[in-house]
Amino acid sequence: MNLKAVRHVFEYLVFRGFACAIGMMNVRQINQLASFLATIMVDVLPRKVSRYTIAESNLKLAFGESLCDEGVRQHVLSMWKHLFRMVAEIVQTPRMLCLENSRESVIFRDRAQTIEALASGRPVIVLSGHFGNWEISTACFGIYGCPMGLIARAMDNPYLHQWFAEYREFLGHQQILKKGGFDDLIKVISKKGFVGLLADQDAGPRGLFVEFFGRPASTFKSIALLAKEYDALICVGYARRMSDDFVNHRWSRYEVGCNDVIDPREYQTAGAIKEMTQRFTSSLEQAIRMAPEQYFWVHRRWKHQPKVRLKTLPQESGNNIGAERMASKVA
């Protein structure tokens, strides 16, 4: 067994030990532990470990100078607290959330349009971002009898990857790998099934640039293309953590909502793909603005920007050469 394999086994054993301890804790204890770990991440560990600089840059890009340094710190602190709680909730979901008690922990908003989409007889792409507890939203679909094909990236640790795959399959879903799982995705869509995915990551220099918090963000156009080709509805949803009530509720509470349902039949112009992509990106932004501290700000969402080409007016030959060289460097 090589060093990498040993590290994977060690990481998995640590995770399982952590999961075992979490399984015995109540929501108040988890909240206290998450607060402690978040403080360690932000105020004790190097900022490179907590990715504080990335989060700070993203928050400033999204909200501008209206967010002071202390405001940034509070957002990052709350973000890590939320993420630690989310991991604990994933561990506890199979035991704590079921059909019989779901209404105690989950409040649904705009449920009618979601049900209408699911009952339409057409494929449905359930789309969200790294906001709130995206695993809770998919869990709700599972316990209510609407299994989905969940698109996810393969984790580096094979043991952790298998654990999360079994967790999702326990809820009735099928995990589809982001790389290498295209055929499985098409099978689900072709059978007019449901597909769940997160659509808020940078798509690289060749992505489709649309506005996200007022700035161009490279976004995957494959979602809109898939919806157009297979006549699939796009449901943009979220699962937002609500305020705690440690007295009357023994678990966390979430609002699961649908911000928008996008029908590709409404888009027939040459710019249909960009219009649909902009619409679901704006819907995700609308959800994030409800609780910015629950968004995963450590993604490099604005990593790539559109290339700018300089247009030059006719000049003398010597100046033209310099301008052309400058334009080629920028492009």
Side-chain angles (χ1 to χ4, degrees), residues 145-205:
C146 297
M148 296 190 294
L150 299 179
I151 301 175
R153 182 183 68 84
M155 300 183 71
D156 296 330
N157 188 314
Y159 303 107
L160 290 175
H161 176 83
Q162 183 62 27
W163 188 92
F164 277 94
E166 291 176 355
Y167 161 79
R168 289 163 180 147
E169 290 167 2
F170 173 81
L171 298 169
H173 303 305
Q174 172 191 357
Q175 180 165 286
I176 300 173
L177 293 180
K178 190 173 183 179
K179 291 185 178 180
F182 183 75
D183 290 341
D184 291 331
L185 169 63
I186 297 304
K187 285 179 183 179
V188 175
I189 291 287
S190 299
K191 294 179 181 179
K192 302 187 186 302
F194 312 138
V195 173
L197 57 90
L198 304 178
D200 62 333
Q201 291 182 299
D202 180 84

Side-chain angles (χ1 to χ4, degrees), residues 12-298:
Y12 177 69
L13 291 176
V14 170
F15 172 77
R16 289 308 302 267
F18 172 78
C20 183
I22 287 296
M24 297 183 290
M25 298 175 69
N26 60 41
V27 65
R28 187 191 296 271
Q29 293 169 332
I30 289 173
N31 180 63
Q32 293 171 343
L33 176 62
S35 296
F36 172 74
L37 294 176
T39 302
I40 295 296
M41 285 291 291
V42 174
D43 295 335
V44 178
L45 296 179
R47 290 196 166 187
K48 184 177 181 180
V49 176
S50 66
R51 306 187 77 179
Y52 189 97
T53 304
I54 298 173
E56 179 182 35
S57 175
N58 285 338
L59 284 163
K60 288 291 180 67
L61 286 173
F63 299 104
E65 296 304 321
S66 62
L67 199 61
C68 64
D69 290 343
E70 180 58 25
V72 169
R73 179 186 171 277
Q74 288 300 324
H75 271 76
V76 178
L77 186 68
S78 298
M79 177 197 73
W80 279 113
K81 178 181 176 180
H82 166 74
L83 288 171
F84 284 126
R85 289 189 65 177
M86 177 182 165
V87 173
E89 288 160 358
I90 290 173
V91 171
Q92 291 189 344
T93 294
R95 180 173 61 88
M96 298 294 290
L97 186 64
C98 62
L99 181 61
E100 289 73 19
N101 70 2
S102 60
R103 293 181 67 87
E104 299 176 10
S105 301
V106 180
I107 296 174
F108 296 95
R109 188 174 71 83
D110 296 326
R111 177 174 52 181
Q113 61 178 341
T114 305
I115 295 174
E116 184 178 349
L118 297 176
S120 66
R122 297 165 62 184
V124 178
I125 299 173
V126 181
L127 185 151
S128 189
H130 292 82
F131 169 73
N133 190 331
W134 53 91
E135 295 288 353
I136 288 292
S137 58
T138 56
C140 289
F141 279 89
I143 65 177
Y144 279 94
C146 297
M148 296 190 294
L150 299 179
I151 301 175
R153 182 183 68 84
M155 300 183 71
D156 296 330
N157 188 314
Y159 303 107
L160 290 175
H161 176 83
Q162 183 62 27
W163 188 92
F164 277 94
E166 291 176 355
Y167 161 79
R168 289 163 180 147
E169 290 167 2
F170 173 81
L171 298 169
H173 303 305
Q174 172 191 357
Q175 180 165 286
I176 300 173
L177 293 180
K178 190 173 183 179
K179 291 185 178 180
F182 183 75
D183 290 341
D184 291 331
L185 169 63
I186 297 304
K187 285 179 183 179
V188 175
I189 291 287
S190 299
K191 294 179 181 179
K192 302 187 186 302
F194 312 138
V195 173
L197 57 90
L198 304 178
D200 62 333
Q201 291 182 299
D202 180 84
R206 301 179 64 181
L208 187 62
F209 287 92
V210 295
E211 294 293 307
F212 183 61
F213 282 90
R215 295 178 179 273
S218 178
T219 308
F220 291 99
K221 59 184 175 183
S222 54
I223 299 167
L225 287 168
L226 194 67
K228 286 289 287 183
E229 182 174 355
Y230 290 92
D231 193 33
L233 297 169
I234 300 176
C235 285
V236 186
Y238 65 90
R240 176 173 64 96
R241 184 191 303 280
M242 300 176 65
S243 58
D244 292 304
D245 184 351
F246 297 129
V247 176
N248 299 311
H249 295 272
R250 64 192 187 103
W251 208 48
S252 300
R253 298 188 304 146
Y254 277 90
E255 176 187 85
V256 175
C258 177
N259 263 2
D260 199 6
V261 176
I262 304 171
D263 189 341
R265 295 177 184 176
E266 299 175 2
Y267 295 86
Q268 303 298 329
T269 64
I273 300 304
K274 185 167 186 177
E275 291 171 5
M276 293 170 63
T277 304
Q278 180 64 74
R279 181 169 166 180
F280 73 65
T281 301
S282 297
S283 293
L284 288 175
E285 178 184 332
Q286 181 183 354
I288 294 166
R289 285 185 179 277
M290 292 191 295
E293 73 282 356
Q294 295 184 31
Y295 186 60
F296 199 37
W297 291 104
V298 295

